[in-house]
Amino acid sequence: MREVVLVILGLVAMAAARQVDDNTLVTLDIKQRQTFIFKLLNKVMEPVMYKEIEEIGKNYNIEENVNLYTKTDVVKTFINNLKIGTLPRGEIFTIHVDRQLKEVVTMFHVLYYAKDFVTFIKTACWMRLYLNEGMFVYALTVAVRQREDCKGIILPPPYEIYPYYFVRADVIQRAYFLKMKRGLLDNKLCDFYGIRKSEKDILIIDENIYDKRVVLNKDNVLNYFTEDIDLNTYYYYFHVDYPFWMKDEVFDKNKFRRFELNLYVYQQILARYYLERLSNGLGKIEPLSWHKPIRKGYWPWLVLHNGVQLPLRANNYVVVRDDNIELVRLAEGYEQIIKDAIIKGFVEVSIKYNVIYVILSETYKNYLETCLIFFTDQRCKT
């Protein structure tokens, strides 16, 4: 009898503790919520280091709490994906693989459609423990930027979360070198590697000092712009704010004309790139042709956490190959549609032999003309 009473008291205590945790999460102010998000994103490639996140994640079961989400169908799809199998932890995640994109979009939907902040945090803690690190970071950052109860939360820079996409491999290697040497380096080596010590004994690595013998072409002088960490951070969070895959049910389509905004941002980046080329005496941007080799290559100097180098594009790169000829034809088809719309002033859409004529306004004509300029002038960087 005594044992039964102790078990009951233990269960009551556990339930009470869980209730306290829920109440604590409910009462978090914006600063505390931001701190919690920071903890979720801290050292994502390592096991979670915060006890509260681990306990919340282990004690939460998404399948048993489907009713805590406004759209239960997305949760069921997510659970079905888990049963089939998702990208394992430790693997490289990219949105350019269709299956991985579908999986991470489903993860975002589960986070986004959580009814309250408590459910959102519990779901995030569970994902932090069991799902792929890259997918978790991507889904969480997009969800934080889109949820109303996360307004005001400032996310950390992506180069602090996952520096391998932003910091050159040789710079990271120098940091490892300093760590192994415990900061004890020969002065000559410091000059060679661009390492100096500040007045507060902080070691600083200058990424602008590197072996300039290892270059593909003279466009390498623009690395200060194309590889600028802050510019790439801006571009990353612009994508997070306006993902190409996001449906209008999340966006207020009457408030955001996001496709025009996307085009505008690309125009601005391209214009600045053009300016930097002219400032360095590199001349105009060469027009992109699908059927001619890209004369100048591109080398990002990036190595991922698993030691695999991001692929480079060699000089005289051939675009059209046997394995992508259908994609090239698709791109050419889109270009032709835009050209025809500019010339005719309307778009023809054939549906079951019925032709629908959409008369274009002057603004939309200018938009299509800009699209055409963008498609023909943009450099192929991948």
Side-chain angles (χ1 to χ4, degrees):
M1 183 65 181
R2 182 180 179 183
E3 288 79 2
V4 174
V5 172
L6 290 175
V7 169
I8 294 175
L9 290 175
L11 293 173
V12 171
M14 289 175 61
R18 184 176 180 181
Q19 184 65 35
V20 169
D21 290 341
D22 288 357
N23 291 335
T24 302
L25 293 174
V26 169
T27 57
L28 292 179
D29 58 24
I30 189 64
K31 183 178 179 180
Q32 293 169 324
R33 292 184 180 189
Q34 177 164 316
T35 302
F36 206 101
I37 297 296
F38 276 19
K39 290 180 179 180
L40 284 168
L41 294 172
N42 188 27
K43 298 183 179 180
V44 291
M45 301 309 300
E46 301 177 9
V48 63
M49 57 189 296
Y50 300 101
K51 198 68 176 176
E52 63 269 29
I53 293 177
E54 185 177 5
E55 291 179 355
I56 292 173
K58 287 183 176 180
N59 292 325
Y60 187 66
N61 189 312
I62 296 177
E63 192 169 4
E64 295 177 358
N65 295 280
V66 177
N67 60 319
L68 296 179
Y69 303 87
T70 55
K71 288 195 174 183
T72 58
D73 56 325
V74 299
V75 182
K76 293 176 181 178
T77 301
F78 173 72
I79 294 171
N80 186 57
N81 288 344
L82 291 177
K83 293 178 179 178
I84 295 173
T86 59
L87 186 68
R89 290 177 61 82
E91 293 294 323
I92 301 299
F93 160 71
T94 172
I95 59 174
H96 300 296
V97 175
D98 289 343
R99 178 172 176 176
Q100 294 182 24
L101 176 60
K102 291 177 181 178
E103 290 175 1
V104 79
V105 169
T106 306
M107 288 174 59
F108 161 75
H109 284 154
V110 173
L111 290 168
Y112 180 77
Y113 289 115
K115 288 184 177 180
D116 49 51
F117 188 77
V118 174
T119 305
F120 168 72
I121 282 296
K122 288 183 177 181
T123 307
C125 290
W126 185 92
M127 290 181 175
R128 173 66 176 86
L129 292 181
Y130 300 111
L131 298 184
N132 178 270
E133 300 88 347
M135 296 176 70
F136 166 73
V137 170
Y138 184 81
L140 180 65
T141 51
V142 177
V144 168
R145 301 285 274 199
Q146 304 299 332
R147 284 183 62 93
E148 287 297 326
D149 53 13
C150 292
K151 296 296 183 184
I153 293 178
I154 300 175
L155 291 169
Y159 53 80
E160 292 183 2
I161 302 173
Y162 191 79
Y164 303 96
Y165 279 142
F166 299 86
V167 182
R168 289 201 319 267
D170 60 314
V171 177
I172 294 178
Q173 187 62 35
R174 285 181 236 168
Y176 285 147
F177 189 60
L178 284 174
K179 185 70 174 178
M180 289 187 292
K181 292 284 186 177
R182 296 184 179 180
L184 301 175
L185 288 179
D186 186 278
N187 290 331
K188 293 182 179 179
L189 284 177
C190 288
D191 294 337
F192 180 77
Y193 287 118
I195 300 171
R196 61 184 176 85
K197 185 178 289 187
S198 68
E199 296 178 354
K200 298 181 179 180
D201 291 335
I202 298 175
L203 292 170
I204 300 173
I205 302 174
D206 187 354
E207 70 167 358
N208 292 317
I209 297 177
Y210 58 93
D211 191 348
K212 293 181 172 59
R213 296 171 297 177
V214 189
V215 296
L216 287 178
N217 50 64
K218 60 182 181 181
D219 281 8
N220 186 74
V221 298
L222 295 177
N223 278 357
Y224 69 90
F225 175 74
T226 57
E227 311 306 322
D228 182 74
I229 292 178
D230 290 327
L231 178 62
N232 283 285
T233 297
Y234 164 77
Y235 181 75
Y236 171 81
Y237 274 123
F238 176 76
H239 166 75
V240 167
D241 287 338
Y242 305 99
F244 63 88
W245 48 262
M246 189 170 286
K247 305 297 183 182
D248 286 336
E249 61 189 20
V250 177
F251 279 118
D252 182 358
K253 59 184 177 182
N254 295 320
K255 185 177 180 181
F256 296 106
R257 300 195 301 188
R258 56 193 176 108
F259 296 109
E260 293 182 43
L261 181 60
N262 267 273
L263 183 60
Y264 171 77
V265 169
Y266 282 121
Q267 278 184 311
Q268 295 300 303
I269 295 175
L270 185 62
R272 181 57 187 265
Y273 173 74
Y274 212 149
L275 178 63
E276 298 300 331
R277 285 185 61 87
L278 296 176
S279 300
N280 286 276
L282 296 177
K284 296 181 179 180
I285 300 174
E286 297 180 9
L288 172 65
S289 173
W290 301 114
H291 303 284
K292 291 182 180 179
I294 300 176
R295 192 162 57 87
K296 295 179 180 179
Y298 172 72
W299 188 3
W301 286 44
L302 298 177
V303 174
L304 302 177
H305 69 271
N306 60 355
V308 176
Q309 180 180 352
L310 278 181
L312 61 85
R313 187 187 72 230
N315 292 330
N316 300 309
Y317 178 79
V318 178
V319 179
V320 182
R321 305 182 304 275
D322 292 339
D323 61 339
N324 68 353
I325 190 169
E326 292 300 326
L327 292 176
V328 174
R329 288 174 179 171
L330 180 64
E332 289 177 330
Y334 280 124
E335 287 185 358
Q336 191 60 47
I337 291 172
I338 295 173
K339 291 177 182 178
D340 292 342
I342 293 172
I343 294 172
K344 297 178 181 179
F346 57 84
V347 178
E348 293 181 1
V349 183
S350 179
I351 304 176
K352 294 183 179 180
Y353 307 105
N354 293 324
V355 179
I356 301 175
Y357 293 95
V358 182
I359 306 301
L360 301 177
S361 65
E362 288 300 321
T363 303
Y364 197 59
K365 288 179 183 177
N366 294 334
Y367 173 64
L368 288 176
E369 289 174 358
T370 307
C371 286
L372 181 60
I373 294 171
F374 174 71
F375 283 133
T376 54
D377 285 353
Q378 185 181 214
R379 292 173 75 243
C380 182
K381 197 176 180 181
T382 57

